[in-house]
Amino acid sequence: MASPLPTATPRLFAAEPQVVRLWNGFLNGRVLVAVVLLALQGLSLTVQSQTTPLIWAVCAIYLALTLFTRVAGRRAPPPPQVGWQWLPLIGVDIAVVCLLQLQQTGTMNYAPLLALPILMASALGTLLLAFATTAGVTLLLLGWTGWTGRQGMTDLTQQYFQTALTCAGYFLMAYLTHQLAQRLQREQQLSLQSRQAAHLQEQVNHLIIHHLDDGVLAMDRQGQVHTANPAARLLLGCGADLQLPFALTASAGNAPLATLVEQTFASGAALSADMDLVHADHNPLGLHVRTWLTSPLDAPPLAGDALAAQWCVVFLHDLREMQARLRTEKLAAMGRMSAAVAHEIRNPLAAISQANALLAEDLTDPGQQRLSQMVAHNAQRLARIAEEVLDIARVQQQIHAAEASALPLDEQVESIWQEWRSQAPGAEGAARQALVKLQAHQALVAFDAEHLRRVLVNLLDNAQRFRSDAADGLQVHTGHAGTAPVPGSAPPVGPQVWLQVWSDGAPLDASVQRHLFEPFFSSQSRSTGLGLYICRELCERYGARLGYQRLARSTTRGSVEGNAFTLVFYPTAVLGTPSFRLDTIVV
């Protein structure tokens, strides 16, 4: 790309396609003029039976030069400043016209052809080049007028007046042509900038709409869908291979939505409504729908031009997601209040537990002892819930004081697994079976032992709750950077190790997955919804990351899909790094 020209030149000549097109137009014009000159000489020879060999030679050479210039210089014009680069163009044109004018024997006047180099200089060059070319033509015309006057061929005064008038017209033509060319250049530059800005804005809009969680549709009056983002296709039950545009009424379940769009076009106003879409082999889907109309065009659209018509933009919101978000916000507010309440009930609860323990020492009746055990059990449960609630507001003193240490991952996981398995009595302990594959090869991770135990025990409890009765329905895996936590995926990059707890439970609902690690969100009524949130906070304390994915594992029954929680230990975890997030919140 050519570098920007000085301030006197208001355009980038080599980078503009419109300048190249204008340049090629002038080259074609020069070739046409050369052909016409040669044809005129042939016509003159036929009519008058006389010709001058020199004129034939000049016309033939001029045609050859114009053809050569057309082929060699078609890609880009020369720089617009005054310089030698214009001599093969403007200089040749002026020289050819002068030679033809000097050698002509009849009444033919070649002087009007001097307008071609003036137009070329004015349109493709600077104003200085245009005026310099016009001045050169003026001097030649004045010299020709003086020479013919001395030969006594014309009235000198009248000829000078006519030449002066012609030259003044040439100057005016050069100035106006240059100004029009500049304005055309500016308009085309603004058009190009506007086109680039519109293209960029279109890309931004496409990216935003494509990644929105809400569905977005753009429809015309005929019910044809011209734009649909992935979320809208999912909500409407459309396959990814469905080509646009498609009819919304192609599925009978979309009839309520099509009716609302028709009402929007009929009323000319934005509408909103809650509706249920019932598709075959699917549960009813509750949607909150909002519609808007695009601004109508001033001019009527052309026949068959669907893009010029007025469109209706439809936003689809999943009511389940909205209700889940509202429920999460309510639970979060209740959690903040619960933290304050839990802080206040710990002391009375401790007094109740202590009084119950003292009272149990004097009880002999079996019925009264069972009642005392019930009181103790529920008091412990309340104390545990209070501590979990308080973990959201502050971390216990031992968590503040804990420092990360280099733990052998396989050895630590094996110890926690055996402890967790042995803690459950009787039949419950017998049901705690799992396939354990520890392949981290004595890799060390930066983690606190108690915190790692807390994270792994929570993941094992959740997996045990939703697993099947198969012996390998629960699996615990560890690995290093050479193996991937997800079968078939690329292994982590760098000196990383990972821990994964997998169970063959039912898949989680999409609305549950979005809020899986949020505080006070749970799919069970008896759960506080704090376990996974605390686990994630503890992992991030040491530079690790806890995530969820649905994947298949090999079992004795074949490849089975299940729920996997993977903890990746990143090399950025530094021993002794102070804790953050939870530790910075103090009640």
Side-chain angles (χ1 to χ4, degrees):
M1 180 179 295
S3 58
L5 297 176
T7 307
T9 304
R11 56 186 172 85
L12 299 175
F13 64 94
E16 297 178 358
Q18 63 273 11
V19 177
V20 177
R21 289 195 297 268
L22 184 61
W23 161 250
N24 289 326
F26 276 113
L27 293 183
N28 293 333
R30 296 175 74 240
V31 174
L32 180 61
V33 169
V35 172
V36 170
L37 288 177
L38 204 58
L40 287 177
Q41 299 307 317
L43 182 62
S44 176
L45 179 62
T46 303
V47 175
Q48 300 180 1
S49 300
Q50 60 179 359
T51 184
T52 304
L54 183 59
I55 294 181
W56 277 95
V58 170
C59 292
I61 294 174
Y62 183 57
L63 178 59
L65 290 176
T66 55
L67 288 174
F68 175 78
T69 307
R70 178 67 183 87
V71 174
R74 64 182 183 276
R75 297 186 179 276
Q81 296 92 345
V82 177
W84 63 268
Q85 66 273 11
W86 290 102
L87 290 178
L89 301 167
I90 298 175
V92 167
D93 291 348
I94 296 176
V96 167
V97 173
C98 292
L99 287 175
L100 292 176
Q101 188 68 21
L102 288 173
Q103 296 298 323
Q104 61 91 14
T105 57
T107 58
M108 184 176 296
N109 186 10
Y110 295 96
L113 293 178
L114 293 173
L116 179 60
I118 295 176
L119 288 174
M120 183 182 297
S122 303
L124 299 176
T126 61
L127 186 60
L128 177 60
L129 178 63
F131 282 168
T133 303
T134 308
V137 170
T138 301
L139 292 176
L140 290 175
L141 290 178
L142 291 175
W144 173 258
T145 302
W147 183 79
T148 56
R150 290 190 181 89
Q151 298 297 325
M153 292 183 288
T154 59
D155 184 7
L156 188 60
T157 303
Q158 182 180 359
Q159 187 65 22
Y160 269 124
F161 180 76
Q162 184 177 354
T163 301
L165 187 60
T166 302
C167 294
Y170 281 160
F171 273 102
L172 181 61
M173 180 185 67
Y175 178 77
L176 292 179
T177 302
H178 184 74
Q179 293 300 318
L180 290 175
Q182 281 189 321
R183 180 165 184 175
L184 178 61
Q185 302 275 339
R186 289 193 297 266
E187 293 296 333
Q188 290 175 335
Q189 286 181 350
L190 290 176
S191 176
L192 178 60
Q193 293 174 0
S194 300
R195 186 166 62 252
Q196 291 175 344
H199 179 66
L200 179 61
Q201 187 64 44
E202 181 183 3
Q203 289 182 323
V204 171
N205 294 340
H206 175 75
L207 289 175
I208 293 175
I209 294 175
H210 186 79
H211 292 87
L212 276 179
D213 293 333
D214 297 331
V216 180
L217 300 174
M219 303 174 53
D220 58 18
R221 290 180 178 271
Q222 287 72 36
Q224 295 290 320
V225 178
H226 294 270
T227 301
N229 67 341
R233 289 176 176 266
L234 181 62
L235 292 174
L236 297 179
C238 302
D241 56 345
L242 183 61
Q243 298 296 325
L244 294 172
F246 61 87
L248 185 63
T249 54
S251 175
N254 297 330
L257 181 58
T259 302
L260 182 64
V261 173
E262 293 177 0
Q263 294 175 355
T264 303
F265 278 113
S267 62
L271 298 178
S272 63
D274 293 338
M275 61 182 64
D276 292 327
L277 302 185
V278 183
H279 297 96
D281 301 329
H282 290 83
N283 294 327
L285 177 63
L287 294 178
H288 177 71
V289 183
R290 295 179 295 167
T291 61
W292 284 277
L293 292 177
T294 58
S295 300
L297 298 176
D298 296 334
L302 299 176
D305 189 2
L307 296 178
Q310 188 179 19
W311 281 7
C312 178
V313 181
V314 183
F315 284 83
L316 308 177
H317 307 269
D318 192 345
L319 286 178
R320 296 174 302 176
E321 175 66 21
M322 296 176 65
Q323 293 169 358
R325 189 182 300 115
L326 181 61
R327 183 170 61 251
T328 301
E329 294 175 356
K330 289 181 178 180
L331 289 175
M334 292 177 60
R336 290 189 291 268
M337 182 185 68
S338 300
V341 173
H343 183 74
E344 297 297 331
I345 67 174
R346 284 194 308 166
N347 291 335
L349 192 59
I352 293 174
S353 300
Q354 185 177 7
N356 181 68
L358 294 175
L359 183 61
E361 295 177 357
D362 299 331
L363 295 179
T364 57
D365 182 70
Q368 294 179 346
Q369 288 180 351
R370 284 195 299 271
L371 292 176
S372 177
Q373 291 175 358
M374 291 176 60
V375 172
H377 175 74
N378 285 279
Q380 292 175 359
R381 182 169 176 267
L382 287 174
R384 185 170 59 253
I385 293 176
E387 288 300 324
E388 289 182 354
V389 172
L390 288 175
D391 277 344
I392 303 302
R394 63 173 175 82
V395 181
Q396 299 173 356
Q397 184 63 34
Q398 63 267 28
I399 298 181
H400 275 293
E403 293 285 343
S405 57
L407 300 178
L409 182 61
D410 287 352
E411 179 181 339
Q412 199 70 23
V413 171
E414 178 67 24
S415 175
I416 297 172
W417 154 249
Q418 295 295 343
E419 177 186 353
W420 176 79
R421 183 181 182 184
S422 61
Q423 283 179 349
E428 183 181 353
R432 291 189 174 184
Q433 300 180 6
L435 175 64
V436 180
K437 288 186 177 181
L438 305 179
Q439 301 175 339
H441 304 305
Q442 301 301 320
L444 300 179
V445 296
F447 223 90
D448 177 73
E450 177 60 26
H451 290 172
L452 182 60
R453 186 196 68 81
R454 185 171 183 177
V455 171
L456 183 54
V457 167
N458 187 282
L459 296 179
L460 289 172
D461 286 340
N462 290 341
Q464 180 68 21
R465 189 177 300 117
F466 300 104
R467 62 170 291 182
S468 67
D469 295 333
D472 53 3
L474 172 62
Q475 299 184 14
V476 179
H477 298 266
T478 62
H480 55 82
T483 58
V486 181
S489 65
V493 179
Q496 300 172 359
V497 293
W498 51 268
L499 164 65
Q500 185 180 91
V501 178
W502 178 91
S503 64
D504 58 354
L508 300 180
D509 189 79
S511 60
V512 175
Q513 291 186 34
R514 294 189 184 97
H515 307 282
L516 197 58
F517 296 98
E518 295 182 3
F520 304 104
F521 179 83
S522 176
S523 58
Q524 295 183 327
S525 58
R526 294 179 60 85
S527 175
T528 60
L530 300 176
L532 289 177
Y533 173 74
I534 294 176
C535 289
R536 187 192 62 178
E537 296 295 315
L538 291 175
C539 293
E540 291 184 354
R541 167 190 173 94
Y542 300 103
R545 181 170 63 90
L546 179 63
Y548 164 81
Q549 64 264 31
R550 181 80 178 171
L551 59 92
R553 280 285 183 187
S554 298
T555 66
T556 56
R557 298 156 289 165
S559 180
V560 178
E561 285 196 348
N563 302 311
F565 288 86
T566 305
L567 174 58
V568 179
F569 301 88
Y570 280 86
T572 53
V574 180
L575 298 181
T577 301
S579 57
F580 58 93
R581 299 190 67 175
L582 283 176
D583 300 343
T584 59
I585 305 176
V586 180
V587 175

